[in-house]
Amino acid sequence: MIAIINYKAGNLASVSNALERLGAPHVITSELDALESADAIIFPGVGHAQAAMQSLHENNLAGWLRQTKKPLLGICLGMQLFFESSDEGDTECLGIIPGRLRLFDNANVKVPHMGWNHFSSVGNHPLLAGIDEKDYFYYVHGYYAPVTEYTIATCHYDAGFSSVVARDNFTGVQFHPEKSGANGVKLLQNFLEFAGAQTGPKNKLII
Amino acid sequence: MLAKRIIPCLDIKNGRTVKGVNFLGLRDAGDPVELATRYSMEGADELVFLDITATNEKRKTLVQLVREIARNISIPFTVGGGIQSVDEIEDLLHAGADKVSLNSSIVRDPELISRSAARFGSQCIVAAIDARSHGDNWNVYIKAGTVDTGKNVLEWCRDVARYGAGEILLTSMDRDGTKSGFDNHLLSKVAESVSIPLIASGGAGTIEHCIDAVTSGHADAILAASIFHFREIEIGDLKQAMARAGIPVRLVA
């Protein structure tokens, strides 16, 4: 069972629809008990970093997220909140991955970075199995994450940025796999397999 | 490189697509979900659904349809047509639409843009603008192109960007339905006036027209209806040609 974290900054319907199409059983919840009994977690997010962090704190989710050992996929703002801090509202984030989010410079490019883009580099990770540099994914974001030792794929717009990150059980994508057509389906399947491998063969996440 | 987008537009009335759609192999050419799925598989980058239903019951039907579309396609889509309020926008976004397009309502109430952008983010607010030439300039028309507002298009484009629109969907009424090419003069004027993405609409007849809208008109995306519905241009062929012309596009195998 996958738990989609429900807080004020979620694009829940799209993620839920995508898992539905994959036949992956899931719940949408903000209850810690339900998150604890899930095999894997999806942490979506759209909107403002400060409002999102505030909502996580109000629901006692920030502390839980920092310490969980469950396979977890952050999407868009969800991934951004893994980092230490953001220029968006000068917000302190979860600090799972070092670095600060910055705004693209609208003197050089149109902000937000919205539309289909491909990678500049793709590393080796189960999340990226069968995915290469020329594959397009759908992005919508104004702030971008720096490239760090936990970056496993990069993209370039006004600046190079972390497109996919992974640290232990934490994985995150800047783009929206639930809106990225066949490539997005492949990435979500990869996450389900990554999560299944982490939690053992008895927990088959795809029916 | 960020890809230039190809966006088929579907007109919806009472939950069905209008304008006879000439597709081989569709079970039901009037079914927006089936048509949307087909376009998505053929490589459309986004879809726009324009509701032209003129009854009080329209919103319920539309929200239901949006929910059904969202269940079935995995690319972004925009919904437009007579949207008046933040509440309506919320219903459509919650049902699964990625963006809404606003047209007449924002001319009457420009702050609808800022109110909805503050609530849902600029990225989901598309300002749809119908432009008709008046001498050396263009005027903004509303109510499906029937009313001249007297507003200057370039000024209105700057205004909607300032109020917080995330994109402009610009339709040339002079070219709409003519298949004589996009109004690249108008497009390039708007492109240099604003720094938000510009979707070109009105006049698509050939692959060359679409390439010109990007290279001369500086459009970020191309929207068209009949050339796709009647299979005059296949999305795959269009994207191959754009790629050969050096335009970054998302090719779908």
Side-chain angles (χ1 to χ4, degrees):
Chain A
M1 178 70 74
I2 312 269
I4 303 173
I5 299 183
N6 183 14
Y7 65 119
K8 263 188 197 145
N11 48 341
L12 305 175
S14 301
V15 174
S16 171
N17 283 331
L19 291 179
E20 199 70 42
R21 287 192 291 269
L22 282 170
H26 59 279
V27 290
I28 296 174
T29 183
S30 57
E31 300 296 323
L32 292 180
D33 288 352
L35 293 174
E36 276 301 341
S37 63
D39 301 302
I41 310 292
I42 292 187
F43 178 39
V46 290
H48 196 283
Q50 196 173 38
M53 280 308 299
Q54 193 182 333
S55 177
L56 288 180
H57 285 301
E58 281 165 8
N59 291 289
N60 297 315
L61 291 167
W64 186 85
L65 278 165
R66 285 191 183 101
Q67 57 75 46
T68 185
K69 300 293 177 215
K70 291 181 187 292
L72 191 143
L73 176 68
I75 296 176
C76 194
L77 182 63
M79 177 209 99
Q80 295 196 346
L81 297 180
F82 288 171
F83 285 78
E84 284 171 306
S85 60
S86 175
D87 277 356
E88 188 174 31
D90 192 15
T91 304
E92 189 189 329
C93 303
L94 296 170
I96 293 160
I97 290 176
R100 185 174 179 89
L101 280 295
R102 310 243 177 242
L103 185 62
F104 286 118
D105 185 352
N106 70 359
N108 305 323
V109 289
K110 295 182 179 185
V111 180
H113 174 223
M114 178 163 60
W116 297 83
N117 213 333
H118 59 88
F119 300 113
S120 314
S121 62
V122 177
N124 225 338
H125 190 279
L127 196 61
L128 297 169
I131 291 171
D132 66 34
E133 284 181 18
K134 64 179 187 308
D135 289 332
Y136 278 89
F137 287 84
Y138 186 77
Y139 293 81
V140 182
H141 62 125
Y143 290 80
Y144 66 94
V147 176
T148 76
E149 62 191 292
Y150 302 110
T151 301
I152 57 170
T154 60
C155 179
H156 189 89
Y157 191 47
D158 170 41
F161 63 88
S162 279
S163 178
V164 188
V165 297
R167 178 176 187 178
D168 306 325
N169 56 314
F170 294 95
T171 62
V173 293
Q174 177 62 70
F175 48 80
H176 288 275
E178 75 280 12
K179 286 287 164 185
S180 292
N183 289 339
V185 172
K186 192 186 290 174
L187 186 127
L188 287 172
Q189 268 168 338
N190 286 348
F191 173 69
L192 297 179
E193 280 166 30
F194 168 73
Q198 300 240 316
T199 54
K202 69 179 192 308
N203 293 316
K204 203 167 183 322
L205 296 176
I206 307 176
I207 294 174
Chain B
M1 290 276 277
L2 192 60
K4 302 296 177 186
R5 291 167 281 156
I6 302 299
I7 309 176
C9 177
L10 286 73
D11 284 351
I12 304 293
K13 193 171 184 180
N14 299 318
R16 308 272 298 165
T17 51
V18 292
K19 290 180 182 169
V21 173
N22 186 14
F23 263 32
L24 286 175
L26 280 188
R27 276 183 301 116
D28 177 1
D31 177 5
V33 176
E34 192 176 354
L35 191 53
T37 307
R38 171 94 173 236
Y39 278 135
S40 163
M41 280 169 6
E42 289 177 354
D45 296 305
E46 286 183 37
L47 295 169
V48 168
F49 297 87
L50 200 58
D51 186 34
I52 58 171
T53 314
T55 66
N56 296 329
E57 285 296 296
K58 68 181 287 183
R59 219 41 79 184
K60 256 187 262 170
T61 321
L62 184 61
V63 168
Q64 195 52 44
L65 175 63
V66 165
R67 205 167 282 133
E68 198 52 37
I69 292 164
R71 276 198 202 111
N72 284 281
I73 66 167
S74 57
I75 59 170
F77 67 97
T78 302
V79 177
I83 299 168
Q84 312 266 1
S85 69
V86 171
D87 287 347
E88 284 175 85
I89 294 171
E90 182 168 32
D91 288 345
L92 293 167
L93 295 177
H94 277 180
D98 298 281
K99 311 176 192 181
V100 292
S101 86
L102 307 173
N103 191 333
S104 302
S105 58
I106 53 174
V107 172
R108 282 193 301 274
D109 175 16
E111 289 183 358
L112 175 59
I113 303 174
S114 36
R115 290 197 305 275
S116 46
R119 182 106 166 249
F120 312 111
S122 286
Q123 81 289 340
C124 61
I125 307 299
V126 180
I129 299 175
D130 293 339
R132 186 185 285 272
S133 62
H134 275 246
D136 294 339
N137 281 300
W138 295 268
N139 281 10
V140 177
Y141 279 66
I142 55 169
K143 302 212 168 195
T146 58
V147 177
D148 180 2
T149 66
K151 273 180 178 301
N152 178 286
V153 166
L154 301 182
E155 284 169 19
W156 179 231
C157 286
R158 282 190 284 265
D159 285 347
V160 299
R162 201 169 50 241
Y163 279 109
E167 278 185 303
I168 290 173
L169 165 51
L170 181 66
T171 301
S172 162
M173 293 177 57
D174 303 296
R175 299 299 178 91
D176 203 24
T178 66
K179 298 194 178 176
S180 61
F182 293 92
D183 187 341
N184 296 320
H185 185 207
L186 169 63
L187 286 169
S188 61
K189 286 279 186 194
V190 171
E192 70 190 35
S193 303
V194 296
S195 59
I196 57 177
L198 174 62
I199 304 167
S201 158
T206 66
I207 284 175
E208 288 67 35
H209 292 156
C210 299
I211 292 173
D212 290 346
V214 173
T215 55
S216 313
H218 306 292
D220 298 286
I222 302 295
L223 179 136
S226 60
I227 57 165
F228 297 134
H229 299 331
F230 295 103
R231 317 304 285 176
E232 290 163 23
I233 296 178
E234 300 283 340
I235 294 171
D237 295 344
L238 172 58
K239 285 190 157 182
Q240 293 284 355
M242 291 173 80
R244 281 195 300 274
I247 298 169
V249 286
R250 180 181 70 107
L251 296 172
V252 172

